[in-house]
Amino acid sequence: MSLETMRIKDYFSLPDLFSVFNAVFGFMAIIMAIDGYLIISAQLILIAVIFDSIDGWVARKINRDDKLGFGKNMDSLCDVISFGVAPGIFLYSATLSYDIRYINILVCLLIVICGILRLSRFNVISQIGTPQDKFVGLPIPITAVLLASFYLTGMFREDIALLIMTIVSLLMISTIEYPKIRSIKTAGLSLILILTVSLPQNIQISLMNIPAMILFILTMTFIIFMPILALFTNLRSGPHVR
């Protein structure tokens, strides 16, 4: 392979720019969490989710030809930063005073490890073909939205957060199928909620809890509904007889 064929500009496309912004906001969320600015960190994680959604939308609009998979791999690497490492660091910073020592570190590691496994599996199975309207396992941005919105509700509890994030981390590597959100109305509502929650504190301090609460409830409903539906479907189908 010649040096001419290794130039980044030959692979880089407009959707990748939004993936970069995804990683930028994810990295800034990590810095803010380390410095103790947890509200800002949670808001930055949610903004990263917006850019993660935009890159795929732009790629479809311009009919990007990504046969080599540069965009897909770049998107996954950025997602590891914003929705794996950033939530892990955020949760660790938010639970430093938790009574049971080291349990928070284990849960934070679980988020990162399951996130890496989830994204790696997604890249592999996307090569062999999967249903276009479904994800296998909980999408990693959903876990980030859940944690960030939970903190911004003002009802954050360390023990509940650690329990929830343990469950959703395992759901990421499960085989439960989650539908892709294609509805413009649903995507628009989610965008409005995230933007409202992400406004500067001096503008929306009196409103933040309400949209954050709505976002948290909607996300939790989405996460819980699919496993229940899968269980109900399996019970209806009954045992397989050979």
Side-chain angles (χ1 to χ4, degrees), residues 131-164:
Q132 295 298 311
D133 59 339
K134 294 180 180 179
F135 290 108
V136 179
L138 183 69
I140 189 172
I142 299 295
T143 66
V145 171
L146 184 69
L147 179 60
S149 62
F150 183 31
Y151 189 83
L152 293 172
T153 61
M155 301 174 62
F156 185 85
R157 281 186 48 176
E158 297 174 340
D159 51 352
I160 294 178
L162 291 169
L163 176 61
I164 289 176

Side-chain angles (χ1 to χ4, degrees), residues 37-78:
Y37 299 105
L38 294 177
I39 290 179
I40 297 176
S41 178
Q43 291 173 325
L44 291 173
I45 289 174
L46 292 176
I47 294 174
V49 173
I50 295 176
F51 282 105
D52 180 58
S53 302
I54 292 176
D55 63 5
W57 180 82
V58 172
R60 290 190 294 271
K61 286 297 180 180
I62 66 174
N63 294 318
R64 180 183 187 178
D65 184 11
D66 190 27
K67 293 180 179 178
L68 297 177
F70 180 85
K72 177 185 67 179
N73 285 289
M74 184 171 178
D75 180 60
S76 292
L77 291 171
C78 293

Side-chain angles (χ1 to χ4, degrees), residues 14-103:
L14 179 61
D16 301 322
L17 179 62
F18 293 98
S19 295
V20 170
F21 281 121
N22 168 11
V24 167
F25 281 97
F27 178 76
M28 291 304 299
I30 294 171
I31 298 298
M32 290 297 101
I34 292 174
D35 287 343
Y37 299 105
L38 294 177
I39 290 179
I40 297 176
S41 178
Q43 291 173 325
L44 291 173
I45 289 174
L46 292 176
I47 294 174
V49 173
I50 295 176
F51 282 105
D52 180 58
S53 302
I54 292 176
D55 63 5
W57 180 82
V58 172
R60 290 190 294 271
K61 286 297 180 180
I62 66 174
N63 294 318
R64 180 183 187 178
D65 184 11
D66 190 27
K67 293 180 179 178
L68 297 177
F70 180 85
K72 177 185 67 179
N73 285 289
M74 184 171 178
D75 180 60
S76 292
L77 291 171
C78 293
D79 284 356
V80 168
I81 296 173
S82 298
F83 312 133
V85 178
I89 297 294
F90 177 89
L91 184 62
Y92 173 74
S93 298
T95 58
L96 282 175
S97 60
Y98 190 59
D99 293 335
I100 305 177
R101 296 186 63 187
Y102 307 122
I103 189 67

Side-chain angles (χ1 to χ4, degrees), residues 123-215:
N123 285 352
V124 170
I125 63 179
S126 64
Q127 296 289 340
I128 59 178
T130 56
Q132 295 298 311
D133 59 339
K134 294 180 180 179
F135 290 108
V136 179
L138 183 69
I140 189 172
I142 299 295
T143 66
V145 171
L146 184 69
L147 179 60
S149 62
F150 183 31
Y151 189 83
L152 293 172
T153 61
M155 301 174 62
F156 185 85
R157 281 186 48 176
E158 297 174 340
D159 51 352
I160 294 178
L162 291 169
L163 176 61
I164 289 176
M165 295 311 296
T166 298
I167 294 172
V168 297
S169 295
L170 297 176
L171 285 175
M172 280 195 290
I173 59 174
S174 71
T175 55
I176 297 173
E177 294 183 337
Y178 284 87
K180 294 183 179 180
I181 300 175
R182 299 294 191 186
S183 170
I184 296 178
K185 292 182 179 179
T186 303
L189 175 61
S190 301
L191 177 61
I192 292 172
L193 288 172
I194 290 175
L195 288 175
T196 303
V197 172
S198 301
L199 288 172
Q201 288 178 258
N202 60 337
I203 295 177
Q204 49 77 58
I205 190 167
S206 61
L207 297 174
M208 180 170 59
N209 288 0
I210 297 175
M213 183 68 72
I214 295 173
L215 185 61

